[in-house]
Structures are given as structure tokens and as C-alpha cells.
Amino acid sequence: MAPGRALRRTLVAPLRRAFAGRGRQLAPERGAGSREAAPGRVSRFCPPRKSCHDWIGPPDKYSNLRPVHFYIPEDESPSEQKLRELRQETQDWNQQFWANQNLTFRKEKEEFIRSRLQAKGLGLTAETVTS
């Protein structure tokens, strides 16, 4: 086993216990199914159900943004709820915007590379596009 894995295992269990709470839940991920550039969920990242903090997941492969799972306290006031919902809506909008922006950039980059190679009379290879 790699030394990094052993270190992660010794740290993960205490961290999970430290962030565990009672009667609290995380906000569901909203708007993830409506993305045009990347169908499906943003990430498979799922924090423990008993967590009492916001959790930040790994970067999304389409938008390069880290999804946030927002914590919902039991005694959340209406103003706190409104703030959390606005934060979620902003995150969802950013996620969709950057996924679409990055997809458009990659397509246009590929078209540009093709056009420059054709102008020089060179062929297009698979490794040219992926680099």
C-alpha cells in the first residue's frame, strides 16, 4: 500500500467523526440535471449525512469549479435560508456558465488548430488536438 493512502486513512476517520452532528442535513444539489454542456450530476462527491458544515467537493470535469454541498441547520432562520438558497442558485449558475464556456473554448480551440494546420498544409493528428 502506498504511504499516502495509509496517511489518508488515518486522517479521514477522525475528520468524519469531528464533522458529524445530529439532526442536520445537507442541502440537495439543485440544477445539476439542467446543465446543457454536461448531462448528469456535477460530481459523485457525497459528504456524510451527519455533517454540520458546508462541504467542498472535487473539481467538476466540465467547469473546473468545486461543487459545494451546503449545510442546513435545524434552526435555520428565514433570512439564513434565503441566503443559503441564493448561494446555491449562484453556484448553479456559475457551474452551468463555466461548463458551457469551457466547452465552447475547447471546440473553438480545436477548430482554430485545424484551420492553422490546413493553412500550412499539414495533417491533423490525435496528439495535436489533445495537447
Side-chain angles (χ1 to χ4, degrees), residues 87-112:
R87 289 175 65 202
Q88 271 182 311
E89 289 173 17
T90 302
Q91 177 192 341
D92 293 341
W93 184 89
N94 279 326
Q95 189 75 26
Q96 184 175 5
F97 173 82
W98 284 108
N100 291 334
Q101 190 72 15
N102 291 342
L103 180 66
T104 303
F105 174 79
R106 287 185 193 113
K107 284 181 181 176
E108 289 180 8
K109 176 183 171 186
E110 196 173 309
E111 290 172 15
F112 175 78

Side-chain angles (χ1 to χ4, degrees), residues 13 16 33 122 128:
R16 284 185 181 158
L122 301 172
T128 309

Side-chain angles (χ1 to χ4, degrees), residues 45-115:
F45 169 73
C46 185
R49 292 231 180 255
K50 295 182 177 182
S51 175
C52 58
H53 300 282
D54 291 347
W55 279 66
I56 300 173
D60 178 65
K61 66 181 181 179
Y62 300 105
S63 68
N64 295 325
L65 297 177
R66 293 179 173 270
V68 179
H69 292 264
F70 294 100
Y71 164 68
I72 304 173
E74 278 184 3
D75 56 347
E76 184 177 49
S77 70
S79 59
E80 288 174 329
Q81 179 181 1
K82 178 137 176 97
L83 175 62
R84 179 182 47 80
E85 290 171 352
L86 288 171
R87 289 175 65 202
Q88 271 182 311
E89 289 173 17
T90 302
Q91 177 192 341
D92 293 341
W93 184 89
N94 279 326
Q95 189 75 26
Q96 184 175 5
F97 173 82
W98 284 108
N100 291 334
Q101 190 72 15
N102 291 342
L103 180 66
T104 303
F105 174 79
R106 287 185 193 113
K107 284 181 181 176
E108 289 180 8
K109 176 183 171 186
E110 196 173 309
E111 290 172 15
F112 175 78
I113 290 171
R114 261 197 197 102
S115 69

Side-chain angles (χ1 to χ4, degrees), residues 120-131:
K120 292 181 179 182
L122 301 172
L124 183 66
T125 61
E127 61 186 49
T128 309
V129 175
T130 59
S131 59

